[in-house]
């Protein structure tokens, strides 16, 4: 496990340097940029709406992916943790650490939670499948239709928001 983790860390560091060569070539400017971003995140920008942890949960994510999807996503993380902690670590480490990092400051933009959306959709799907498997156990033939129906119920508010936003942007 340690050898695999070490290899993964080395690969991640090499990939980072390959994608961000000036982090090495101009290390001082890179550190100054990180310091600026950290200070800006903590200080706030424009209207202060509170810490990102609360704002993103109650506004950015709630209205971005919809309350049903958000609830299903959190439930899916719990289901993953109970069923397979290794899978939960693989799927949930980035979104949890990213949320903790981006939410700690007072600079909150809705766009900051965009990288969380794919992970939340995955864990929401885990919750949908878990609920349907439990409820449709007596009727195994109903599993595909029930899964599709529940997935649709969870996703409808998100779809409605996307259509409304597209219509607004088109104006």
């Amino acid at each position: 496990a340690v050898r695999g983790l070490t290899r993964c860390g080395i690969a991640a560091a090499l990939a980072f340097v390959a994608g961000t060569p000036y982090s090495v070539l101009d290390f001082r400017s890179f550190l100054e940029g990180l310091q600026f971003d950290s200070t800006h995140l903590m200080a706030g920008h424009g209207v202060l709406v509170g810490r990102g942890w609360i704002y993103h949960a109650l506004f950015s994510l709630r209205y971005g992916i919809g309350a049903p999807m958000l609830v299903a996503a959190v439930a899916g993380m719990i289901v993953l943790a109970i069923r397979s902690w290794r899978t939960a670590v693989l799927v949930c480490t980035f979104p949890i650490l990213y949320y903790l990092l981006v939410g700690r400051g007072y600079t909150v933009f809705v766009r900051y939670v965009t990288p969380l959306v794919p992970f939340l959709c995955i864990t929401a799907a885990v919750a949908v499948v878990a609920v349907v498997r439990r409820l449709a156990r007596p009727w195994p033939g109903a599993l595909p239709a029930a899964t599709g129906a529940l997935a649709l119920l969870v996703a409808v508010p998100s779809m409605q928001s996307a259509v409304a936003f597209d219509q607004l942007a088109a104006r």
Side-chain angles (χ1 to χ4, degrees), residues 55-169:
Y55 183 81
H56 291 311
L58 298 179
F59 184 80
S60 304
L61 291 171
R62 178 179 172 212
Y63 292 108
I65 64 172
M69 182 83 74
L70 183 57
V71 169
V74 173
M77 287 182 183
I78 295 167
V79 169
L80 273 179
I82 292 169
R83 286 191 177 163
S84 172
W85 68 268
R86 287 184 173 137
T87 304
V89 167
L90 180 67
V91 174
C92 301
T93 297
F94 170 76
I96 290 171
L97 290 178
Y98 181 82
Y99 188 80
L100 291 174
L101 179 68
V102 81
R104 68 187 178 96
Y106 291 96
T107 300
V108 289
F109 294 109
V110 173
R111 67 178 179 259
Y112 286 0
V113 296
T114 301
L116 300 176
V117 173
F119 296 93
L120 296 176
C121 289
I122 290 168
T123 58
V126 167
V128 165
V129 169
V131 166
V132 170
R133 281 186 178 160
R134 179 157 300 212
L135 295 178
R137 193 173 289 157
W139 310 281
L143 194 63
T147 302
L150 184 56
L152 195 59
L153 283 173
V154 168
V156 162
S158 304
M159 296 182 325
Q160 288 173 329
S161 293
V163 169
F165 177 78
D166 287 347
Q167 289 172 341
L168 180 64

